Amino acid sequence: MTRPVLVPILGDQLSRNLSSLEGLSPSDAVILMMEVWDEATYVKHHKQKIVLIFSAMRHFAEELRAEGWQVDYIALGDDANSGSFTGEVARACERHDVCEVRVTESGEWRVQQAMLEWEDRLPCPVNICADTRFIATHADFRSFADGRKHLTMEYFYREMRKKTGLLMRTDVKPEGDQWNLDAENREPPKDGMSPPPTPKFAPDDITREVIELVGKRFPDHFGDLEPFGWPVTRAEAQKAAEAFFARRLCLFGPYQDAMVHGSDDLYHSMLSTSINIGLLDPLELCRDAEAAYKSGSAPLNSVEGFIRQIIGWREYVRGFYWYTMPGLADANELGAHRPLPEFFWTGKTDMRCLSDCIRTTREDAHAHHIQRLMVLGNFCLIAGIDPRQVADWYLVVYADAYDWVELPNVAGMILYADGGRLATKPYAASGNYINKMSDYCKGCRYKVSKKTGPDACPFNPLYWHFMEANRTRLENNHRIGRIYATWDRMGADKQSEYLESAQKFLDSLAPARKGWARND
Ligand code: FAD
Ligand code: DLZ
Ligand code: SF4
C-alpha cells in the first residue's frame, strides 16, 4: 500500500455511507476507532449508554474487517491508550505513516473544536467532511434562520418536506392538504391499552464483555447496567424498525403524547439510540414510513407525525444547535439558578409522575418525549432549575443523548433559556395536563385537584409561582400573556396561598450532591 489515508470513525458515526469513507477502498485507508476515557467520562454517562456505544463500535469494526478494511481498534484498556481522540489520532498517524487524515465532522461542538486543531498538531493534512447523514446542510439551516426572530420549526419542516418530497402531493402541496396533523396526535391513554412489546436483543459475547468492562470501570455512573437489550448492529436495528413499522406505527400518532405508569415505549419507535449512532438512516426510515401510508397499513396522522419528528424536529434541533452554539450552552434567559434536586438521581420523590419517569430513565436509559418534556422538563422549568445542571442531567441519563440534540431540547424546548428563539412560549403546565394525558395522578399521594396546601399537586402552585416570578418577561408574550388576567382576578389572598405553597415545596427540595454528572 502507498501511504494510507487515516479515517477516524467516532462512536456516533457507525454508518457504511459515512462521508469520510466515500471514494476510498480498503487498499487506500486505515480506519481508526477509539474507546477513550475522555469521551466516556466528560459527563458520567448512564452505564447502558457506554455499553451501547462500545459494543456497537466493536461490532461495526468486525463488519468493516469482514469487508476487507484494515481497522485499527483501540480498546479502553489498551496499553498506551492516551484517553483522547486527539492523542489517539496523533499516535495512529505515526504508527501508519499516513498521508492524510479524513474525518466526518463531529456532531458535538466540543469535539469539533478539538478536530479543528488537528491540522496544527498532526504531521499531515486534515480533511473534515460534512456529515451527509443529515438532510439539511448547515447552509440550509442558515438560509432558513438568518433574519428571523423566532426560528419556528413548522416553517423549517415544510422546507424539509419539499426538499425530500416526503408526503408531498405536488412540489408544493402536502399529502392530505395539511402539513401538520399534530392536533390528531393528542389522545390520552385508553384503559386496557396494550401496545405490542418492543424487541429487546439478548447480549452476544461482544456485548457481554463490554457489560463486564463497564461494570468494572464505571461503577459510580448513573443507571442500571442490566438488563441490556438495545440494538448494537445495523441488522438488529433494522429488526427493531421493522417491528415498529409492522405493529406500532399505526397507533404512534394518536398516542404520541400519552403516558402510562410503568411504560416508556407505548407506540413509540424506540429507534433514537440506533439513529443517533448511525445504525439506521433517518431518511430511509421516513421513506419506509411513507410506504406504510401508501400501502394503507398506517394512517396519515401517524406517518406524518413520525416523519415530522425526524425530518422536522431532529433536523431542526441539529441546525439550531450549530446556528446558536457556543452561546446556547450558557443561555439562561429566565435567570434560573436553583440546583437540580437530588431526587432526579435517586427517584425518591412522592410525585408519582416524576418518580416513574426517573425509574424508566434509570432502568432503560430512555423515557419518551412527553415524559422528558411535560413531566421532567416542565418540573425543571417551573421550579427554576439551573439550565446547565438540567442539561448535564439529560446528557448523562439517556442512551440517545448527544450535546447537539439534547441541548436545544433542554435550553430551547423545555427551559426557554434561549429567550424564545426555539419555542414561542415556555411549555409551563400545572398538574391538569399530566392528569389529562396519563394515569399517574390516580395513585399519587398528592391530589391533582388541590391547588394549595401540603396535599396539593406541587405542579399547581409551582405553575403560578413561575408565572409570577417571570411576569416582566412573559406578560407581553401574546401566546401566554393572557394568563396574567386569570392570576390578577384571583386576588391577593389566593395569590399568597399559591406563592407560599410553592415556596414551602421548593424549600423542601434537597439539592443533588456533587459528582453525579461530572467528576468534580
Ligand atoms: P419516537 O417518539 O418514536 O420519535 C421518532 C424519532 O423522532 C426519534 O427516534 C428521534 O430521532 C426523533 N425525535 C423526536 N422528537 C425529537 C426531538 N425533540 N428532537 C430530536 N429528535 C426527535 N432525542 C434524542 O435523540 N437525544 C436526546 O438527547 C434527546 N433529548 C431530549 C431532551 C428533552 C428535554 C426533550 C424534551 C426531548 C429530547 N429528545 C432527545 C427527543 C425525544 O424525546 C427522543 O428522541 C425520543 O424520546 C426517543 O424515543 P423514540 O426513538 O421512541 O422516539
Ligand atoms: C458517547 C461516547 C462514549 C461514551 N465513548 C466514546 C468513545 O470512547 N469513543 C468514541 O469514538 N465515541 C464515544 N462516544 C461518542 C462520542 O462522544 C461522539 O462521537 C462525539 O461526541 C461526537 O458527537
Ligand atoms: Fe404528578 Fe401531581 Fe399527578 Fe402527583 S398529582 S402524579 S405530582 S401531576
Side-chain angles (χ1 to χ4, degrees), residues 268-272 276 309 366 369 372 400-401 405-406 409:
H268 291 271
S269 71
M270 306 297 276
L271 296 177
S272 55
N276 290 353
Q309 301 314 314
H366 184 271
H369 186 62
R372 295 189 207 193
D400 58 22
V405 51
E406 165 272 316
N409 274 298

Side-chain angles (χ1 to χ4, degrees), residues 244 252 256 264-265 267-273 275-276 305-306 308-310 313-315 317 366-374 377 390 394-395 398-407 409-410 413-414:
F244 168 68
F252 172 85
Q256 216 175 323
D264 65 323
D265 39 13
Y267 293 95
H268 291 271
S269 71
M270 306 297 276
L271 296 177
S272 55
T273 58
I275 303 171
N276 290 353
F306 180 73
R308 177 170 11 102
Q309 301 314 314
I310 296 196
W313 280 112
R314 185 173 187 274
E315 289 289 327
V317 298
H366 184 271
H368 76 62
H369 186 62
I370 295 300
Q371 295 174 315
R372 295 189 207 193
L373 178 68
M374 294 309 293
V390 180
Y394 277 92
L395 189 58
Y398 293 116
D400 58 22
Y402 300 87
D403 205 42
W404 67 265
V405 51
E406 165 272 316
L407 188 60
N409 274 298
V410 166
M413 199 181 296
I414 66 171

Side-chain angles (χ1 to χ4, degrees), residues 42-253:
Y42 75 92
V43 290
K44 295 166 80 174
H45 308 280
H46 192 298
K47 294 187 191 81
Q48 287 187 37
K49 181 175 172 189
I50 307 181
V51 174
L52 167 72
I53 288 167
F54 285 7
S55 174
M57 286 172 66
R58 291 179 186 200
H59 282 93
F60 190 67
E62 289 300 302
E63 285 166 17
L64 290 170
R65 282 188 183 122
E67 283 177 35
W69 294 90
Q70 184 185 341
V71 182
D72 188 358
Y73 193 97
I74 309 300
L76 190 75
D78 284 356
D79 289 346
N81 183 337
S82 62
S84 74
F85 285 148
T86 301
E88 285 316 289
V89 173
R91 286 202 315 127
C93 283
E94 280 197 16
R95 243 185 345 267
H96 301 286
D97 185 25
V98 302
C99 65
E100 175 192 338
V101 171
R102 197 177 301 177
V103 66
T104 294
E105 66 183 319
S106 166
E108 300 197 345
W109 177 268
R110 176 183 61 82
V111 176
Q112 185 70 7
Q113 298 317 296
M115 262 184 199
L116 291 170
E117 289 178 9
W118 287 358
E119 184 85 51
D120 292 338
R121 293 187 173 210
L122 300 176
C124 61
V126 176
N127 182 359
I128 302 179
C129 315
D131 192 341
T132 49
R133 298 171 304 165
F134 288 94
I135 297 155
T137 62
H138 297 306
D140 285 342
F141 195 87
R142 268 197 306 275
S143 75
F144 154 75
D146 280 348
R148 288 178 195 250
K149 184 165 175 240
H150 297 292
L151 305 178
T152 312
M153 193 285 290
E154 180 62 23
Y155 300 113
F156 172 81
Y157 168 53
R158 292 179 190 181
E159 293 304 311
M160 291 298 102
R161 289 273 292 277
K162 289 182 207 155
K163 181 169 180 175
T164 57
L166 282 160
L167 293 181
M168 294 299 293
R169 201 149 54 80
T170 68
D171 284 352
V172 288
K173 282 215 155 97
E175 187 69 33
D177 287 329
Q178 264 176 290
W179 290 101
N180 183 325
L181 281 80
D182 198 27
E184 294 174 35
N185 292 356
R186 292 177 196 151
E187 294 281 322
K190 246 207 201 116
D191 278 347
M193 192 164 92
S194 65
T198 313
K200 303 271 188 275
F201 298 88
D204 63 4
D205 288 348
I206 294 181
T207 305
R208 289 242 128 266
E209 201 176 300
V210 174
I211 289 174
E212 201 182 315
L213 170 83
V214 171
K216 277 199 189 124
R217 300 293 303 271
F218 307 98
D220 62 332
H221 284 215
F222 173 80
D224 296 354
L225 181 55
E226 293 184 89
F228 178 90
W230 290 107
V232 293
T233 62
R234 176 161 166 82
E236 287 181 347
Q238 278 173 323
K239 272 194 196 144
E242 279 159 22
F244 168 68
F245 289 128
R247 306 187 62 199
R248 297 203 307 286
L249 174 64
C250 50
L251 288 175
F252 172 85

